[in-house]
Amino acid sequence: MNIKGQIIVVKDIESITTRDKRIILKRTAVVETEGGKYAQSLAFDVMGEDVNNQWLAVGQKVEVDYNCHVTEFNGKLYNNIRAWRIIECKDDGKG
C-alpha cells in the first residue's frame, strides 16, 4: 500500500517490549494527503533499526509504502501500519 502527502506529526523514538520480552525501537509519524477539507491522514510506525536512519520532519513531502496487519490483545483488535519505505518527494515548483 502507498500514500503520498506531507508529514504533520513526528513522535519521539520509543522503546517497546514485545511479547517475547525483546526491546525494539519505534517511531510514529502522521502523513496527510492533499485535498482540502477531504484530506486524509494516516499514522504509521517505523520499527527497529530503521528509526535511527529516518530523517522524518514535520512539513516534508513524502511517499510512504506500508503494510497493515491486525493484532489481538486481551480480546481487542488493533490495526498496525508499518512503513517499509519512505521516499522524500522533491517539490517540482508547480503550484
Side-chain angles (χ1 to χ4, degrees):
M1 298 176 152
N2 177 284
I3 188 171
K4 276 183 162 181
Q6 183 173 348
I7 294 179
I8 59 171
V9 174
V10 177
K11 302 296 257 179
D12 291 334
I13 295 173
E14 300 176 52
S15 295
I16 59 173
T17 304
T18 63
R19 289 181 185 178
D20 59 354
K21 306 298 184 210
R22 292 181 298 127
I23 295 176
I24 57 174
L25 300 176
K26 174 179 114 169
R27 173 176 272 168
T28 301
V30 178
V31 65
E32 183 176 72
T33 64
E34 295 180 7
K37 68 179 184 176
Y38 298 109
Q40 301 292 309
S41 57
L42 177 80
F44 63 89
D45 297 325
V46 177
M47 306 292 287
E49 294 298 319
D50 290 339
V51 299
N52 296 317
N53 300 326
Q54 292 301 322
W55 31 258
L56 301 174
V58 171
Q60 284 181 315
K61 292 187 177 184
V62 294
E63 181 175 350
V64 180
D65 291 312
Y66 60 93
N67 292 325
C68 297
H69 68 277
V70 67
T71 303
E72 184 271 330
F73 182 73
N74 289 337
K76 294 184 179 181
L77 299 174
Y78 298 91
N79 287 319
N80 297 293
I81 300 169
R82 290 194 184 153
W84 56 270
R85 180 172 58 187
I86 303 169
I87 301 169
E88 185 174 11
C89 297
K90 301 295 182 187
D91 190 0
D92 61 5
K94 297 180 183 174

